[in-house]
Amino acid sequence: MAAELGAGMRIFRDILRRADKNDDGKLSFDEFKAYFADGVLSGEELHELFHTIDTHNTDNLDTEELCEYFSQHLGEYENVLSVLEELNITILKAMDKTKKDYQEASNLEQFVTRFLLKETLNQLQSLQASLECAMETTEEQTRQERQGPTKPEVLSVQWPGKRSARRLQRNNSLSPSNPQFNTGWIEEESQWMTQISRLQKLIDRLEKKDLKLEPFEEEVLEENARSHIMIVQRQMSVIEEEIEEFRLALKQYVESASAQSGCLHVSIQKLPNDSRFIIYEFWENSNIWNSHLQMNYSKTFQRSNVDFLEAPELITTMLVPASWWVLNNN
């Protein structure tokens, strides 16, 4: 099958390899859902899509079926994927040559190599930023169109190169008659309310004042002052048998993250009687947080979580005034 894949379609062989968690060469519905869920399509819609792609009626998907389905919908992206395949091959060849020639090169030649590597990376990151912006825009537009008055909103962004997703869940008002009103939702709501209550107490303590129904006062920032910091909450449900291995990976991640100049604080909580961990990270700004995600230690942690987590981790981010952090640390 590999030899039959046309230009632009080889990506689906890589997709199957990444999504195929048990390495049996095919995708079950659970594997398909874990990889393709985007937080917009419902479980029923994903199930219907899975059986639409499964033209062989085996309750599993192979590369041929993925190619057959998506080739009908690629449009201009067929050219994009084809160019990306060529780019990937070209970059790998350049890396291989760099590895062989760099040590024997002169100082000037080594400088040029480092410069070209940096600029290549800058170009790729700029392209990635544009794609991420387009992704978030289309997802937000679809969510707004589909959002109902009692439907919980689930935001999901697939991180490049791995199955872990970033999700933010907002629970709207639920009633006992709503099918989503069950024990799981009650527990989740209770945990969120606990976190919200803690955050409110922190804010009250930082402001050091009672609630007053008076006109607000604007905070005038000094020139070049740091306006906001990024607070990140990461919830991870770990497979019971993998907890010790996860702890080791988490320890290495926290040590590396804490050593970064833009990291203000990292703390970890483990929920009682549960294999769920919550990581709180405070970063100087969102740009530093985004750069942190591209660091090797962060990517290594993300990749390891594919095997350690029962489900994609939930990430919630919040910008708060930097002055609050200053007050809290005085």
Side-chain angles (χ1 to χ4, degrees):
M1 178 63 196
E4 300 174 7
L5 295 180
M9 304 304 294
R10 297 182 185 90
I11 186 176
F12 292 102
R13 187 171 58 224
D14 296 331
I15 288 174
L16 188 139
R17 186 180 66 250
R18 293 195 301 270
D20 180 16
K21 195 168 183 179
N22 62 1
D23 296 322
D24 63 354
K26 54 191 176 183
L27 297 187
S28 65
F29 174 69
D30 288 339
E31 291 172 328
F32 173 84
K33 182 178 180 180
Y35 189 89
F36 285 90
D38 64 354
V40 178
L41 291 184
S42 66
E44 292 78 7
E45 289 172 318
L46 283 169
H47 198 266
E48 181 180 351
L49 175 60
F50 177 83
H51 285 289
T52 299
I53 300 175
D54 181 24
T55 56
H56 297 166
N57 297 319
T58 60
D59 287 329
N60 288 289
L61 304 183
D62 56 32
T63 305
E64 180 182 354
E65 289 172 316
L66 290 172
C67 290
E68 181 179 350
Y69 177 79
F70 282 99
S71 63
Q72 305 172 46
H73 306 281
L74 289 180
E76 188 62 29
Y77 284 92
E78 183 174 358
N79 295 329
V80 173
L81 296 179
S82 178
V83 170
L84 286 175
E85 287 179 2
E86 294 299 324
L87 177 62
N88 186 48
I89 294 173
T90 302
I91 290 179
L92 290 177
K93 287 181 179 178
M95 296 301 97
D96 187 55
K97 184 170 178 57
T98 298
K99 180 180 178 181
K100 294 177 180 178
D101 299 346
Y102 185 77
Q103 283 189 330
E104 303 300 325
S106 65
N107 289 337
L108 182 58
E109 290 171 334
Q110 288 183 345
F111 161 76
V112 172
T113 298
R114 293 194 303 272
F115 169 77
L116 294 176
L117 282 171
K118 182 180 70 174
E119 288 306 312
T120 300
L121 179 60
N122 287 339
Q123 292 294 321
L124 292 175
Q125 288 178 335
S126 177
L127 179 61
Q128 178 181 338
S130 298
L131 289 171
E132 288 176 346
C133 181
M135 240 173 60
E136 291 173 0
T137 300
T138 55
E139 288 179 350
E140 181 63 26
Q141 180 179 344
T142 303
R143 281 193 296 270
Q144 290 176 356
E145 293 173 352
R146 296 166 62 99
Q147 191 175 22
T150 61
K151 185 177 180 179
E153 181 184 20
V154 181
L155 314 185
S156 174
V157 177
Q158 187 74 33
W159 285 0
K162 70 185 194 68
R163 289 189 292 271
S164 293
R166 185 181 77 174
R167 293 189 176 184
L168 166 62
Q169 294 188 346
R170 299 195 185 103
N171 298 336
N172 295 326
S173 59
L174 298 174
S175 66
S177 61
N178 191 310
Q180 292 163 330
F181 189 90
N182 53 38
T183 303
W185 277 106
I186 295 174
E187 294 175 353
E188 188 73 9
E189 182 74 12
S190 175
Q191 292 166 0
W192 273 108
M193 292 305 297
T194 300
Q195 297 300 330
I196 292 172
S197 176
R198 290 178 179 175
L199 181 59
Q200 185 62 55
K201 290 179 181 178
L202 172 63
I203 293 173
D204 291 341
R205 188 169 69 252
L206 292 175
E207 292 183 337
K208 296 181 179 178
K209 60 183 179 183
D210 297 326
L211 176 64
K212 296 180 180 180
L213 299 178
E214 298 177 354
F216 70 87
E217 296 182 2
E218 294 184 355
E219 180 182 1
V220 180
L221 298 176
E222 299 178 3
E223 187 175 358
N224 298 326
R226 188 176 68 194
S227 58
H228 293 84
I229 63 173
M230 172 76 79
I231 299 179
V232 181
Q233 182 196 65
R234 307 176 66 171
Q235 296 191 52
M236 303 179 183
S237 297
V238 183
I239 299 173
E240 198 72 39
E241 296 79 9
E242 303 291 344
I243 285 185
E244 293 308 315
E245 290 294 325
F246 172 79
R247 287 182 187 274
L248 292 175
L250 178 59
K251 181 176 183 294
Q252 295 174 354
Y253 168 77
V254 171
E255 289 176 350
S256 298
S258 301
Q260 303 302 308
S261 59
C263 182
L264 302 175
H265 180 69
V266 179
S267 64
I268 305 170
Q269 289 184 345
K270 183 182 181 300
L271 298 183
N273 303 320
D274 195 349
S275 60
R276 183 158 34 158
F277 290 73
I278 302 179
I279 307 173
Y280 294 93
E281 303 180 24
F282 293 71
W283 295 85
E284 286 189 357
N285 55 58
S286 57
N287 290 334
I288 292 177
W289 157 252
N290 290 330
S291 297
H292 146 78
L293 292 178
Q294 302 303 318
M295 301 292 285
N296 287 335
Y297 69 85
S298 180
K299 291 183 177 180
T300 298
F301 184 58
Q302 295 168 25
R303 286 193 295 269
S304 67
N305 283 340
V306 172
D307 297 321
F308 295 153
L309 303 187
E310 293 180 340
E313 69 172 291
L314 303 177
I315 294 188
T316 306
T317 61
M318 177 186 297
L319 288 174
V320 300
S323 57
W324 294 2
W325 177 261
V326 175
L327 286 172
N328 194 43
N329 286 273
N330 284 342

